[in-house]
Amino acid sequence: VRFINTGNTDINTQITFDIINNKGDVFARGKFSDIFTLPKDQGEVLANTREPLVPGEYILVITLNLGRARPKVLEVPIKVGTSDIDLINS
């Protein structure tokens, strides 16, 4: 995931993820690489799963532990094809 820190403070966080399948089961859990960025910096976080995702639709649950504030949780629908992963527009 590539991003730009558009805020007015640094971002120093640990990010974890859960991938939920269409049955509601946790397919995979893991951790993105740690990040530190200053305002206007570009950043990139990477993550891997132990097993490849089979084609289908999932929910990617991302938890950002910002340290100074309550964790931020994002739920992102994703669709895995035979060779790519797409975000599903909601």
Side-chain angles (χ1 to χ4, degrees):
V1 176
R2 290 185 182 100
F3 66 95
I4 296 174
N5 180 349
T6 60
N8 60 4
T9 188
D10 67 296
I11 296 175
N12 183 12
T13 187
Q14 295 177 339
I15 307 168
T16 59
F17 69 89
D18 297 284
I19 298 174
I20 313 297
N21 66 18
N22 61 358
K23 297 178 187 175
D25 300 323
V26 176
F27 179 84
R29 288 190 166 111
K31 182 179 176 210
F32 284 95
S33 53
D34 293 342
I35 58 168
F36 176 82
T37 62
L38 295 171
K40 299 188 178 49
D41 281 351
Q42 294 184 27
E44 181 176 276
V45 292
L46 306 170
N48 291 308
T49 60
R50 290 183 188 193
E51 297 179 31
L53 294 172
V54 296
E57 293 186 7
Y58 301 86
I59 299 293
L60 174 62
V61 180
I62 302 170
T63 304
L64 298 106
N65 182 357
L66 300 170
R68 295 178 281 240
R70 286 190 281 179
K72 174 100 173 142
V73 178
L74 306 168
E75 292 187 14
V76 181
I78 59 174
K79 183 175 183 178
V80 177
T82 55
S83 63
D84 58 352
I85 298 175
D86 296 314
L87 300 178
I88 298 174
N89 295 330
S90 30

